[in-house]
């Protein structure tokens, strides 16, 4: 039987070898997909509190990737467009989370104190600012730009991902007549309709990613 | 242009003019707009223009080291340079003629743009009505975004003031710089590219590209076509190459024709082609308004066992139970009997060794399940359609398994002994072989088990692939533990082993008898290969079996002697390579796997909707040739006369979704029901848009008849009414 055990290994080895051939390569990038459960995350907010996506179950959640020094972000904040949007959403009972994924030493990095200062100074109204200096949340969602917007519906399903509006420009003049994809998606969700433009191409500065360690 | 004078001709005259009017000295180049990052000018190929002529100007950007500006499609972030013109009446400017971009990685993102010195040429047309002796003033406002890691939007206003002459005066230097840029612009390709859907990916075929082209990259003009950062592996295709692309998460394609630039190197030189590609109609998203075609919401049905609204605990329990039941499925039984037989031989003498083997079998099962699950979950995360049992969608792998089964069969019959040549080697090595063997038996058992789906398994596996990876893997681990439990229990239960009779002649006979299920499995696998790849698949399978048999025989008869042995090993390797090559060549999946039976139509979602709209109940059978459970159901339930009669009477339309080969539409339909594999049986009521009922994975004729009545709205009312 010893001999036939060797035989088994020979045969099974063949099987495994051919199996690994069929496996192919698997690459990884943002796993966020419309209609699928939004990637779970855990991050510390500006107050040092650990926040989870799951704590907002039953509520609509908007994620806003931001970097206070990015010209595209500044366009939306200097004109108060972003703050107005945040306040309007809060009035609808929607949770607004601003996410800062710049690592230490990169443009846009803030600690808790700086994040709170920014919120006060800009009169912004996020429910929380999430600090993501190791870019974990950004990787989970595949965020590419600031701003980059994601909407999670009350069931935890990703309902929208992409640009904040349809004018990919850093010029303040582009705000006139811009169509807000976020407002459109929220209105459609509220009406119980499918989101007509659920995935759009975001625009802005590149998210400053922390190197994978 | 005959009247055009070269600058050299008139240099002195121009110089003289310049002395008189210093403001004109740099007429061919505007004043520079400078920042620490970019120095920009507007460069003209003319010192003087001629009425009716067309000439080139270029926006020049000298970009500081480490910084870049952007192409038409900036990639993952950024913004393209724009020029707005203010020209004298009658004068017109064309669009920017974009040089080929470079891919600029900003891990993990990729931008498309330019570094160093960049010329963006624009063609200007001078009206016939321009009068020699006048001056024309070209004004341009340009905006661009320049980024290193941080981004700065910049803009500049440029003015070119040019005299109109009876003849044009060319600025030699400017002209040659612009000419060089124009010469390097992407040349229109002589071929038409094709964009097709490749599962959840895209394939771009470039029929005109030579085999010597390397570093091929496609830059689409549209920024909603592909994931810009994804690698673009190239494979040789019909007289050219094919690039594999990853569909953008914001995928949108409203026009059947799309354009872009393909860059590559040929003979060490960079080349760029402007290509237009025709997209396969299925890729078109509905035109404006309903863009990004909203996927129909996934409907979860309130069917207790089969629904995917499982909790993690329920999924774990289901998975464990499914794994246990999987042991009874026909695909794995022979493998398990061989393992049990091994235990019986070892039982009395080496109890510890039996236990060790049990544990090793368990590890083989767990590791293999984790590898398969990792692949399935990984692909699901990427949005690709790989389902449970995916490895059997590859004809070469099916053929490989057929060969293995045949060899095991002949080995059980005693036709050859693998490894007896190692007889002289010490006990150590042999027992190491035994350990590896036990592990590998576990692995083999899993590989042959996957085409079987046991009850409870479908829902659990479906749950696993839609959950975060850790939870998914936990479910597969439960499945693996359930599957390995019986053999493990046997190895740890001396009482059970004692029940087995003493090793003896009965064991030899039993061992030989088990050869036949192995051959049966091999026959089934060859049949699967035939369904997948047609007659070529059968030939490939039989050649592979022949080659394997020859190799085993050759190695068997030449043991011992050094040189002969070496020659035989070489020959065996050659035969193996040749046969492997042949299998890969001939076992190519055939394009269609339409339903074969006469009155059963092939499934498409549209057909279901159409039939429902006609008021017909629809039965859909999601199946595959390699799915044993499916075949069993077809035999014991679907093909029974009473079922056929009931279907005919209730006017049920039968559709078949054959998943023997890869098919992303079927994979998506399975996913919508929370499943990762076949079988799946759906009964749609004959009412527009009505949701289907999911039938259990093991069918009975009764079940089908009742479900048909429900779907037709003709349930039998019981007597108690």
């Amino acid at each position: 039987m010893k001999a036939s055990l060797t035989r088994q290994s020979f045969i099974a080895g063949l099987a495994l070898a051919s199996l690994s051939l069929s496996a192919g390569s698997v690459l990884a990038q943002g796993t966020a997909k419309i209609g699928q459960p939004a990637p779970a995350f855990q991050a510390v907010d500006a107050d040092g509190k650990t926040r989870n996506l799951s704590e907002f179950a039953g509520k609509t959640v908007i994620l806003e990737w931001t970097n206070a020094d990015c010209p595209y972000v500044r366009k939306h904040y200097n004109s108060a467009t972003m703050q107005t949007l945040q306040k309007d959403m809060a009035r609808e009972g929607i949770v607004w989370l601003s996410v800062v994924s710049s690592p230490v030493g990169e443009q846009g990095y803030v600690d808790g104190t700086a994040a709170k200062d920014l919120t006060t100074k800009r009169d912004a109204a996020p429910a929380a600012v999430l600090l993501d200096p190791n870019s974990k949340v950004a990787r989970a969602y595949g965020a590419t730009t600031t701003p980059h917007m994601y909407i999670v519906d009350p069931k935890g399903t990703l309902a929208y991902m992409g640009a904040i509006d349809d004018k990919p420009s850093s010029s303040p003049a582009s705000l006139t007549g811009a169509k807000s994809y976020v407002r459109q998606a929220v209105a459609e969700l509220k009406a119980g309709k499918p989101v007509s433009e659920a995935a759009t191409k975001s625009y802005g500065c590149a998210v400053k990613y922390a190197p994978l360690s | 242009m005959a009247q055009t004078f070269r600058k050299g001709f008139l240099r002195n005259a121009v110089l003289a003019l310049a002395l008189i009017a210093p403001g004109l000295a740099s007429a061919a180049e505007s004043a520079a707009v400078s920042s620490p990052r970019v120095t920009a000018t507007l460069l003209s190929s003319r010192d003087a223009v001629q009425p009716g002529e067309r000439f080139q100007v270029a926006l020049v950007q000298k970009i500081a080291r480490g910084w870049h500006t952007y192409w038409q499609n900036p990639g993952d972030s950024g913004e393209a340079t724009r020029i707005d013109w203010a020209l004298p009446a009658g004068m017109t400017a064309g669009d920017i003629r974009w040089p080929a971009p470079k891919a600029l990685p900003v891990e993990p993102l990729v931008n498309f743009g330019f570094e160093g010195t960049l010329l963006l040429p624009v063609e200007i047309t001078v009206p016939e009505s321009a009068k020699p002796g006048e001056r024309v003033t070209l004004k341009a406002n340009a905006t661009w975004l320049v980024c290193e890691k941080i981004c700065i939007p910049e803009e500049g206003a440029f003015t070119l003031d040019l005299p109109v002459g009876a003849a044009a005066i060319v600025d030699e230097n400017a002209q040659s710089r612009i000419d060089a840029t124009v010469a390097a612009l992407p040349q229109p390709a002589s071929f038409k590219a094709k964009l097709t859907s490749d599962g959840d990916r895209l394939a771009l075929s470039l029929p005109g590209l030579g085999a010597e082209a390397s570093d091929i990259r496609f830059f689409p003009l549209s920024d909603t076509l592909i994931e810009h950062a994804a690698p673009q592996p190239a494979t040789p295709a019909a007289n050219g190459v094919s690039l594999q692309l990853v569909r953008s998460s914001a995928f949108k394609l409203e026009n059947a024709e799309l354009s872009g630039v393909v860059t590559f190197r040929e003979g060490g030189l960079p080349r760029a082609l402007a290509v237009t590609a025709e997209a396969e109609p299925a890729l078109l998203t509905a035109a404006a308004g309903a863009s990004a075609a909203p996927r129909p919401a996934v409907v979860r049905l309130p069917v207790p066992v089969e629904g995917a609204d499982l909790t993690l605990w329920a999924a774990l329990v289901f998975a464990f139970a499914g794994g246990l039941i999987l042991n009874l499925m026909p695909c794995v039984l022979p493998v398990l009997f061989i393992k049990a037989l091994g235990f019986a031989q070892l039982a009395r003498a080496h109890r510890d060794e039996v236990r060790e083997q049990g544990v090793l079998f368990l590890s083989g099962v767990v590791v293999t399940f984790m590898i398969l699950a990792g692949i399935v979950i990984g692909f699901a995360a990427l949005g690709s359609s790989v389902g449970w049992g995916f490895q059997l969608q590859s004809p070469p792998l099916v053929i490989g398994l057929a060969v293995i089964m045949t060899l095991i069969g002949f080995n059980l019959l005693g036709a050859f002994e693998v490894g007896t040549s190692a007889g002289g080697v010490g006990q150590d090595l042999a027992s190491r072989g035994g350990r590896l063997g036990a592990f590998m038996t576990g692995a083999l058992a899993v590989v042959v088990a996957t085409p079987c789906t046991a009850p409870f398994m479908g829902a659990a596996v479906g749950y696993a692939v839609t959950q975060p990876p850790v939870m998914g893997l936990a479910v597969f681990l439960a499945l693996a533990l359930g599957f390995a439990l019986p053999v493990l229990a046997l190895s740890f239960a001396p009482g059970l082993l004692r029940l087995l009779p003493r090793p003896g002649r009965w064991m030899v006979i039993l061992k030989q008898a088990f050869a036949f299920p192995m051959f049966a499995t091999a026959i089934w696998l060859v049949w699967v290969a035939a369904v997948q790849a047609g007659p070529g698949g059968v030939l490939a399978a039989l050649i592979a079996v022949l080659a394997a048999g020859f190799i085993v025989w050759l190695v068997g008869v030449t043991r011992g002697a050094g040189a002969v042995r070496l020659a035989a090993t070489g020959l065996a390797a050659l035969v193996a390579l040749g046969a492997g090559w042949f299998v890969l060549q001939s076992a190519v999946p055939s394009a269609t796997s339409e339903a074969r039976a006469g009155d059963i139509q092939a499934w498409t979602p549209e057909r279901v909707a159409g039939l429902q709209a006609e008021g017909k109940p629809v039965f859909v059978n999601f199946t595959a040739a390699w799915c044993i459970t499916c075949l069993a159901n077809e035999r014991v339930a679907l093909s029974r006369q009473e079922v056929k009669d009931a279907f005919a009477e209730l006017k049920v339309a039968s559709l078949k979704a054959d998943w023997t080969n890869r098919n992303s539409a079927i994979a998506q339909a399975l996913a919508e029901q929370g499943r990762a594999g076949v079988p799946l049986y759906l009964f749609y009521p004959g009412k527009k848009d009505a949701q289907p009922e999911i039938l259990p994975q093991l069918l009975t004729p009764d079940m089908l008849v009742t479900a048909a009545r429900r779907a037709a709205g003709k349930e039998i009312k019981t007597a108690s009414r």
Side-chain angles (χ1 to χ4, degrees):
Chain A
M1 200 60 198
K2 288 286 186 217
S4 70
L5 286 176
T6 318
R7 177 261 302 161
Q8 283 178 356
S9 62
F10 158 75
I11 288 163
L14 268 181
L16 265 197
S18 40
L19 183 67
S20 59
L21 272 180
S22 73
S25 62
V26 175
L27 64 119
Q29 191 24 316
T31 53
K33 261 191 102 179
I34 295 302
Q36 300 279 321
F41 62 75
Q42 191 171 61
V44 172
D45 69 10
D47 292 317
K49 234 171 87 187
T50 300
R51 312 302 290 259
N52 290 293
L53 180 60
S54 53
E55 74 187 82
F56 306 111
K59 287 189 169 173
T60 302
V61 178
I62 298 182
L63 297 174
E64 171 217 357
W65 256 267
T66 191
N67 165 353
D69 294 319
C70 162
Y72 295 84
V73 171
R74 286 215 303 267
K75 170 182 90 167
H76 291 282
Y77 274 98
N78 290 351
S79 58
T81 317
M82 190 70 93
Q83 296 92 319
T84 310
L85 184 60
Q86 290 168 345
K87 286 169 191 168
D88 288 354
M89 294 298 123
R91 218 168 291 130
E92 306 235 0
I94 292 171
V95 178
W96 185 292
L97 303 174
S98 300
V99 188
V100 182
S101 293
S102 301
V104 181
E106 294 281 5
Q107 184 199 55
Y109 170 78
V110 283
D111 58 14
T113 320
K116 283 195 279 189
D117 276 0
L118 267 175
T119 303
T120 321
K121 214 169 17 175
R122 294 191 297 195
D123 191 26
V129 181
L130 302 182
L131 307 178
D132 181 35
N134 44 24
S135 313
K136 270 196 193 148
V137 187
R139 276 185 214 278
Y141 279 77
T144 55
T145 62
T146 52
H148 200 162
M149 310 299 298
Y150 293 83
I151 303 179
V152 183
D153 76 9
K155 278 177 282 180
T157 307
L158 190 65
Y160 175 76
M161 61 194 282
I164 185 160
D165 63 25
D166 63 346
K167 292 286 162 64
S169 160
S170 63
S171 150
S174 66
L175 286 165
T176 345
K179 169 166 87 178
S180 167
Y181 287 130
V182 174
R183 285 183 192 275
Q184 173 178 293
V186 166
E188 283 166 346
L189 279 176
K190 211 176 147 193
K193 284 194 283 194
V195 176
S196 54
E197 289 169 286
T200 63
K201 172 70 169 61
S202 69
Y203 69 87
C205 309
V207 168
K208 317 297 183 243
Y209 271 86
L212 268 181
S213 51
Chain B
M1 210 72 72
Q3 298 164 52
T4 301
F5 290 93
R6 290 283 159 173
K7 189 182 185 181
F9 246 64
L10 286 183
R11 177 177 296 147
N12 292 339
V14 171
L15 272 177
L17 199 68
L19 284 173
I20 305 161
L24 301 181
S26 54
E29 189 157 15
S30 73
V33 173
S34 278
S35 78
R37 301 157 291 273
V38 176
T39 301
T41 57
L42 197 59
L43 180 72
S44 167
S45 60
R46 295 285 184 272
D47 285 328
V49 298
Q50 178 194 342
E53 78 156 337
R54 284 190 280 184
F55 71 103
Q56 307 285 323
V57 298
L59 178 70
V60 182
Q61 294 177 335
K62 273 187 209 153
I63 306 166
R65 183 180 279 271
W67 294 77
H68 58 264
T69 62
Y70 293 92
W71 188 57
Q72 287 159 286
N73 168 9
D76 281 330
S77 63
E79 193 178 334
T81 298
R82 282 214 326 261
I83 308 177
D84 292 323
W85 294 94
L87 300 171
M91 215 170 196
T92 56
D95 293 331
I96 295 175
R97 302 171 73 187
W98 292 93
K102 268 199 280 193
L104 305 165
V106 192
E107 295 298 338
L109 314 176
V110 164
N111 286 138
F112 299 159
F114 309 97
E115 295 172 318
T117 296
L118 169 71
L119 271 75
L120 297 174
V122 174
E123 188 170 76
I124 306 283
T125 308
V126 185
E128 292 285 357
S129 57
K131 298 269 180 317
E134 289 178 345
R135 305 193 71 82
V136 287
T137 306
L138 283 63
K139 286 181 189 265
N141 266 306
T143 57
W144 59 88
L145 184 74
V146 55
C147 299
E148 179 208 28
K149 271 191 169 172
I150 64 168
C151 294
I152 317 279
E154 294 185 344
E155 59 183 322
F158 305 89
T159 306
L160 277 173
D161 191 45
L162 299 171
V164 182
I169 300 172
V170 175
D171 181 317
E172 203 69 69
N173 180 32
Q175 180 77 58
S176 64
R177 286 177 69 191
I178 296 175
D179 280 350
T181 302
V182 169
L185 291 177
Q187 298 299 303
S190 57
F191 54 84
K192 187 111 179 177
K194 260 212 164 90
L195 186 74
T196 50
S197 160
D198 178 9
D200 271 11
R201 301 187 169 213
L202 302 168
L204 181 73
S205 68
L206 302 163
L209 230 52
E212 59 279 11
S214 63
D215 296 344
I216 308 166
R217 183 162 194 131
F218 175 60
F219 297 88
L221 284 195
S222 156
D223 61 4
T224 53
L225 189 69
I226 60 172
E227 286 297 327
H228 302 122
Q232 303 183 349
T235 45
N239 58 44
V241 295
S242 171
L243 290 184
Q244 200 190 65
L245 309 167
V246 178
R247 215 186 260 241
S248 164
S249 56
F251 182 84
K252 201 194 276 185
L253 184 63
E254 286 167 0
N255 201 325
E257 269 211 346
L258 62 111
S259 28
V261 166
V262 171
T263 61
F264 56 100
R265 298 186 80 85
E266 204 169 46
L269 295 172
R271 294 204 46 198
L273 292 176
V275 295
T276 50
E278 198 179 321
E280 100 186 345
L283 283 170
L284 283 181
T285 15
S291 51
R295 281 167 165 239
V298 175
V299 180
R300 305 278 190 224
L301 291 166
V303 181
V305 173
E306 305 293 337
D309 275 335
L310 296 178
T311 63
L312 178 61
W313 286 113
L316 290 174
V317 171
F318 279 11
F320 188 79
L324 262 178
I325 300 174
L326 193 56
N327 281 292
L328 298 174
M329 293 290 151
C331 4
V332 261
L333 269 182
V335 179
L336 296 179
F337 270 117
I338 292 171
K339 190 72 236 160
L341 214 55
F343 285 171
Q345 281 188 329
L346 284 172
R348 279 156 226 272
H350 316 280
R351 189 159 301 151
D352 287 346
E353 208 167 319
V354 172
R355 280 185 193 159
E356 189 192 54
Q357 292 231 345
V359 172
L360 285 165
F361 177 85
L362 169 78
S363 359
V365 167
V366 169
V367 168
T368 313
F369 255 114
M370 290 297 108
I371 293 173
L372 288 176
I375 294 166
V376 171
I377 291 175
F379 271 96
L382 288 173
S384 192
S385 53
V386 165
W388 196 234
F390 68 92
Q391 72 276 23
L392 289 168
Q393 287 178 341
S394 153
L397 208 89
V398 168
I399 290 171
L401 280 175
V403 169
I404 290 170
M405 292 300 161
T406 313
L407 290 182
I408 296 180
F410 277 112
N411 178 266
L412 291 172
L413 278 180
F416 66 90
E417 292 281 327
V418 177
T420 35
S421 62
V425 184
Q427 186 66 23
D428 247 21
L429 193 70
S431 70
R432 197 179 310 142
R435 290 194 187 115
L436 186 62
F439 181 88
M440 287 302 177
T441 316
L444 183 65
V446 175
V447 172
V448 295
T450 44
C452 279
T453 303
F456 299 114
M457 251 184 78
V461 171
Y463 172 88
V465 297
T466 55
Q467 294 304 306
V470 177
M471 282 152 92
L473 285 176
V475 171
F476 278 105
L477 185 62
L479 189 58
L481 293 177
F483 183 62
L485 185 68
V487 168
L488 190 70
L490 190 66
S491 73
F492 272 82
L496 281 179
L497 280 173
R498 222 168 286 132
L499 285 180
L500 291 170
R502 223 166 249 291
R505 190 172 145 67
W506 70 271
M507 204 171 242
V508 178
I509 292 172
L510 191 61
K511 194 175 127 182
Q512 288 173 352
F514 281 141
F516 297 99
M518 290 296 175
F519 290 136
T521 311
I523 290 171
W524 163 63
L525 286 164
V526 172
W527 175 73
V528 171
V531 173
Q532 286 174 326
V538 180
L539 184 64
L542 297 181
I543 295 272
V545 169
L546 176 68
F550 175 72
I551 291 169
V552 168
W553 170 80
L554 187 67
V555 171
V557 294
T558 55
R559 56 179 62 128
V564 175
R565 173 83 178 173
L566 201 66
T569 310
L571 183 58
L574 271 181
V575 171
L577 280 176
W581 177 83
F582 185 76
V583 166
L584 291 175
Q585 288 299 307
S586 20
V588 182
S590 36
T592 54
S593 46
E594 287 283 292
R596 286 171 293 276
D599 54 341
I600 297 176
Q601 306 177 50
W603 167 88
T604 63
E606 294 74 30
R607 202 165 280 169
V608 173
L611 288 164
Q612 271 190 302
E614 288 171 26
K616 282 190 182 159
V618 187
F619 174 73
V620 188
N621 173 9
F622 290 84
T623 182
W626 40 263
C627 161
I628 301 233
T629 314
C630 305
L631 302 184
N633 280 327
E634 263 156 50
R635 201 48 45 85
V636 305
L638 287 166
S639 60
R640 293 287 282 273
Q641 199 55 45
E642 62 256 47
V643 173
K644 286 185 181 164
D645 290 348
F647 276 28
E649 186 200 321
L650 298 163
K651 300 200 168 44
V652 173
S654 268
L655 301 186
K656 188 169 187 172
D658 191 330
W659 208 37
T660 304
N661 290 328
R662 278 193 72 165
N663 179 322
S664 55
I666 294 179
Q668 192 191 328
L670 290 171
E672 276 167 17
Q673 302 298 341
R675 290 291 182 77
V678 287
L680 171 67
Y681 303 102
L682 297 180
F683 234 122
Y684 288 84
K687 232 166 54 191
K688 202 161 176 282
D689 296 333
Q691 291 305 319
E693 177 188 352
I694 304 182
L695 304 187
Q697 271 164 323
L698 290 179
L699 297 175
T700 64
D702 268 4
M703 213 181 264
L704 281 167
V705 173
T706 349
R709 286 189 189 284
R710 265 200 300 274
K714 291 186 181 151
E715 280 181 79
I716 305 169
K717 303 285 189 286
T718 46
S720 67
R721 171 163 67 126

